[in-house]
Amino acid sequence: MTELRSLRARFPLLEERLYCATPGLGPVLRETFDDLEAYRRTFTRRSRALDEWVERHEALHGLVERLLGAPPGSVFLTDTATAAQAALAAAVTPSPERRRIVTSAADFHSSRYLWAAQARRGFEITELDARAHADEAPLLESIDARTAIVALSLVSPRSGALLPAPAIAARCREVGAILVLDAYQAVGIVPIDVEALGADVVIGGTHKWLHGGGTGLAFGYVSPPLAARLEPAYPGWIGHASLRAFSDRFEPHDGARRLAQGTPAMEPVYTARAGLELALEVGVPAFRARSLALTGHLLAGLAERGISVRTPSADARRGGMVCVEAADGEAVVAALEAEGIDVDTRPGAGVRIGPHPTQTEADMDTLVDALARAVRA
């Protein structure tokens, strides 16, 4: 704990406030401001800065691949998790024998919009209710030989529940379905090794638990065997086999990068570096252990106050946040904000509390006291 507590000074926001809103936007490292300044300086060089931009872009692929335990060339970058899922969805065609997509109401609404829209392409959409993360039996039963894609959140943004992914991956392999995991609420706080996880596709991003500064950057891991089979429906020059070829005809990259499209936003590429390096330096397992200790302490304090939660109590079944039931989440968030405590709220999720691994049990006690006052009010 002492080692992680010492990291707090590297986050200006954590020095100023009891910040527990990482499930929305994570706190930013001091080093990130240096990278942002480096990006600003490229504006004075314009075209002469392109080589530096390419180097930063390439380096970021490597950092993400190291974080996920993924082989080189198996990760592509894009602007949002929805865009990453769309690139994959568009490259898969329904057939009379295999046309089902299984999703869950526990998932992020943007992803649900994307997968529901595939019905217009001939897919049959099966959306399970939000209990799918808590009870895997109906989920496993819904995956059969007719299933083309299973698209689920590894950690539900509506409850903080952690999906039993290996069991689902095993079922998908058994029937030949593609498993797409949205790991945005997991990556950086739940250890992810794509080989052990067994998913064909893992989607994530950097501005939550990976402490990335800017929005507009997401990534997708695609297993090499699947990537080799995919033909991008909407290719772009970043997905070309040779970035600098400027060819008249599209030749897909060997791996997942074939799903990338046009010129990326560079600001988030710069401001994501420091957070990824911190995760590799400290190790996500260390963050995970501290997160479980803090959320466990938080759950115990909430139970003592009789405050209901939506999040599973078992360590193996929760991610990095606790979702508290609240009749008026906005009022609770505002009341805590006035006391120097930052949390967030979402419809269907209650008040979301994401303790940062550098915080303490005493911080959680302060939060519970303030939350109890706000709930009573």
Side-chain angles (χ1 to χ4, degrees), residues 166-209:
I168 295 165
R171 178 59 179 160
C172 287
R173 286 194 299 272
E174 183 182 332
V175 303
I178 297 170
L179 176 58
V180 180
L181 290 180
D182 179 352
Y184 222 124
Q185 282 291 354
V187 66
I189 200 66
V190 176
I192 295 175
D193 182 297
V194 292
E195 295 292 334
L197 200 59
D200 301 285
V201 180
V202 177
I203 306 295
T206 58
H207 70 254
K208 298 183 187 292
W209 296 105

Side-chain angles (χ1 to χ4, degrees), residues 3-20 22 25-33 188-189 206-213 271-282 287 355-359:
E3 179 184 352
L4 292 184
R5 283 188 60 184
S6 69
L7 295 176
R8 189 185 293 200
R10 292 171 65 178
F11 294 91
L13 180 56
L14 298 182
E15 292 282 88
E16 298 168 4
R17 298 179 66 82
L18 179 47
Y19 189 83
C20 295
T22 298
L25 289 167
V28 174
L29 287 153
R30 293 186 186 278
E31 295 94 317
T32 300
F33 294 97
I189 200 66
T206 58
H207 70 254
K208 298 183 187 292
W209 296 105
L210 285 174
H211 308 112
T271 60
R273 180 196 64 85
L276 281 161
E277 290 186 343
L278 179 69
L280 292 167
E281 170 195 336
V282 175
F287 285 142
H356 195 268
T358 63
Q359 291 167 343

Side-chain angles (χ1 to χ4, degrees), residues 8 18-20 290-302 305 320 322 336 341-343 353-372:
R8 189 185 293 200
L18 179 47
Y19 189 83
C20 295
R290 188 67 191 132
S291 172
L292 287 174
L294 290 172
T295 53
H297 188 85
L298 180 61
L299 286 168
L302 294 169
R305 300 300 186 96
V322 171
L336 267 61
I341 302 170
D342 296 314
V343 295
I353 305 169
H356 195 268
T358 63
Q359 291 167 343
T360 67
E361 283 79 1
D363 292 327
M364 296 304 99
D365 292 340
T366 298
L367 190 155
V368 170
D369 288 343
L371 183 67

Side-chain angles (χ1 to χ4, degrees), residues 52-319:
E52 180 182 323
W53 283 11
V54 171
E55 289 174 7
R56 288 273 188 161
H57 193 249
E58 289 298 309
L60 201 69
H61 283 85
L63 290 173
V64 174
E65 286 164 354
R66 286 175 57 197
L67 183 73
L68 301 180
S74 63
V75 164
F76 72 101
L77 303 181
T78 186
D79 55 348
T80 66
T82 308
Q85 291 171 90
L88 181 280
V92 179
T93 303
S95 69
E97 299 79 22
R98 194 181 288 276
R99 52 193 291 265
R100 174 181 288 178
I101 296 177
V102 176
T103 66
S104 166
D107 297 338
F108 188 56
H109 55 284
S110 187
S111 301
R112 293 169 65 198
Y113 300 159
L114 181 280
W115 293 112
Q118 303 314 301
R120 296 197 292 269
R121 299 179 52 225
F123 283 103
E124 169 193 316
I125 313 303
T126 299
E127 184 177 81
L128 305 173
D129 67 32
R131 291 173 294 180
H133 274 70
D135 182 3
E136 65 203 70
L139 175 53
L140 294 173
E141 290 171 4
S142 71
I143 304 170
D144 58 25
R146 297 168 295 169
T147 306
I149 297 172
V150 177
L152 301 166
S153 294
L154 184 54
V155 172
S156 169
R158 294 173 177 267
S159 68
L162 177 62
L163 198 70
I168 295 165
R171 178 59 179 160
C172 287
R173 286 194 299 272
E174 183 182 332
V175 303
I178 297 170
L179 176 58
V180 180
L181 290 180
D182 179 352
Y184 222 124
Q185 282 291 354
V187 66
I189 200 66
V190 176
I192 295 175
D193 182 297
V194 292
E195 295 292 334
L197 200 59
D200 301 285
V201 180
V202 177
I203 306 295
T206 58
H207 70 254
K208 298 183 187 292
W209 296 105
L210 285 174
H211 308 112
T215 59
L217 177 66
F219 55 79
Y221 157 81
V222 184
S223 69
L226 175 60
R229 304 199 318 259
L230 296 178
E231 294 186 16
Y234 304 104
W237 79 285
I238 300 297
H240 194 277
S242 176
L243 183 66
R244 298 176 185 271
F246 296 95
S247 174
D248 291 334
R249 298 177 62 85
F250 179 69
E251 297 176 26
H253 193 281
D254 287 340
R257 292 198 204 184
R258 65 180 57 197
L259 296 178
Q261 293 183 312
T263 304
M266 289 307 301
E267 178 188 325
V269 168
Y270 274 71
T271 60
R273 180 196 64 85
L276 281 161
E277 290 186 343
L278 179 69
L280 292 167
E281 170 195 336
V282 175
V284 178
F287 285 142
R288 171 66 169 166
R290 188 67 191 132
S291 172
L292 287 174
L294 290 172
T295 53
H297 188 85
L298 180 61
L299 286 168
L302 294 169
E304 289 177 3
R305 300 300 186 96
I307 299 174
S308 299
V309 301
R310 302 170 60 89
T311 306
S313 59
D315 286 1
R317 295 306 300 270
R318 71 177 184 273

